[in-house]
């Protein structure tokens, strides 16, 4: 099964592509970012995100797509822009694939480390370990997207609980 994970962002949207076998063992196929220039207006940036997400889905033809749910920290303005980007990812993903699953940051941390309040570096090390990589994927947004995909792979048997 091929799973694409997305870590939503307006300036930098992370993606990670993994493949799992029947035993649940995951292998990394690709990871990276879709970036948008800060000099462009919001509408153009959202179009660039749609184009990037569509290209990833067309290239890998995933069976399922996992997306991190939005988490508001302190900056509400940034959160609103990320929500716009996330909406474009959701819309594009449902149109192109249809099998969409959402996970909170706490669920992702819990699935990868067994501890819902794990630090970012702990998640990154687990991504490296679970995918048998030589180094932690960079940038952080791509590593986060791989974590989302791994979370889905590990909780797939409960998939109906997280589908939208």
């Amino acid at each position: 099964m091929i799973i694409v994970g997305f870590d939503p962002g307006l300036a930098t949207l992370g993606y990670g592509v993994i493949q799992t076998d029947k035993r649940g063992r995951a292998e990394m196929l690709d990871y990276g970012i879709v970036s948008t220039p800060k000099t462009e207006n919001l509408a153009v940036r959202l179009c660039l995100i749609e184009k990037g997400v569509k290209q990833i889905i067309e290239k890998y033809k995933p069976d399922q797509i996992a997306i991190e749910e939005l988490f508001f920290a302190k900056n509400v303005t940034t959160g609103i822009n990320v929500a716009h980007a996330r909406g474009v990812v959701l819309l594009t993903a449902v149109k192109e694939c249809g099998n969409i699953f959402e996970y909170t940051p706490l669920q992702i941390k819990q699935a990868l480390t067994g501890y819902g309040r794990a630090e970012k570096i702990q998640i990154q090390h687990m991504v490296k370990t679970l995918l048998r990589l030589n180094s932690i994927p960079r940038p952080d947004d791509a590593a986060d997207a791989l974590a989302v995909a791994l979370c889905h792979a590990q909780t797939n048997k409960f998939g109906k609980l997280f589908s939208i």
Side-chain angles (χ1 to χ4, degrees):
M1 172 184 313
I2 295 176
I3 302 167
V4 174
F6 286 108
D7 178 39
L10 181 62
T12 308
L13 169 92
Y15 71 89
V17 186
I18 64 170
Q19 183 168 13
T20 59
D21 60 21
K22 290 180 182 181
R23 300 177 83 184
R25 189 171 172 160
E27 173 187 0
M28 189 273 302
L29 299 179
D30 192 15
Y31 64 87
I33 60 167
V34 175
S35 61
T36 65
K38 294 178 182 178
T39 55
E40 288 292 349
N41 67 47
L42 179 62
V44 170
R45 293 174 85 180
L46 295 176
C47 285
L48 292 171
I49 288 170
E50 177 194 29
K51 181 180 177 183
V53 169
K54 192 171 182 176
Q55 287 174 344
I56 293 161
I57 294 170
E58 287 174 351
K59 181 175 181 180
Y60 293 101
K61 297 174 181 36
D63 300 293
Q64 299 176 338
I65 294 175
I67 302 170
E68 185 173 357
E69 286 188 5
L70 191 57
F71 175 74
F72 279 100
K74 294 179 182 175
N75 191 338
V76 176
T77 303
T78 301
I80 291 170
N81 286 336
V82 173
H84 287 306
R86 188 173 180 280
V88 169
V89 174
L90 286 169
L91 178 66
T92 307
V94 79
K95 286 169 61 177
E96 300 296 323
C97 175
N99 271 334
I100 314 299
F101 300 84
E102 297 181 278
Y103 298 93
T104 66
L106 188 120
Q107 289 169 323
I108 296 164
K109 291 174 181 182
Q110 181 73 36
L112 267 65
T113 68
Y115 178 58
R117 305 263 184 244
E119 297 292 327
K120 190 173 202 71
I121 192 69
Q122 292 171 295
I123 301 299
Q124 292 172 342
H125 279 288
M126 286 306 297
V127 166
K128 176 185 166 209
T129 301
L130 291 170
L131 293 173
R132 297 166 308 284
L133 303 174
N134 293 327
S135 60
I136 293 172
R138 296 286 180 223
D140 289 351
D141 304 281
D144 292 347
L146 284 168
V148 175
L150 284 167
C151 170
H152 179 65
Q154 293 193 17
T155 58
N156 194 29
K157 57 188 154 205
F158 307 111
K160 294 235 184 266
L161 296 174
F162 302 101
S163 67
I164 58 170

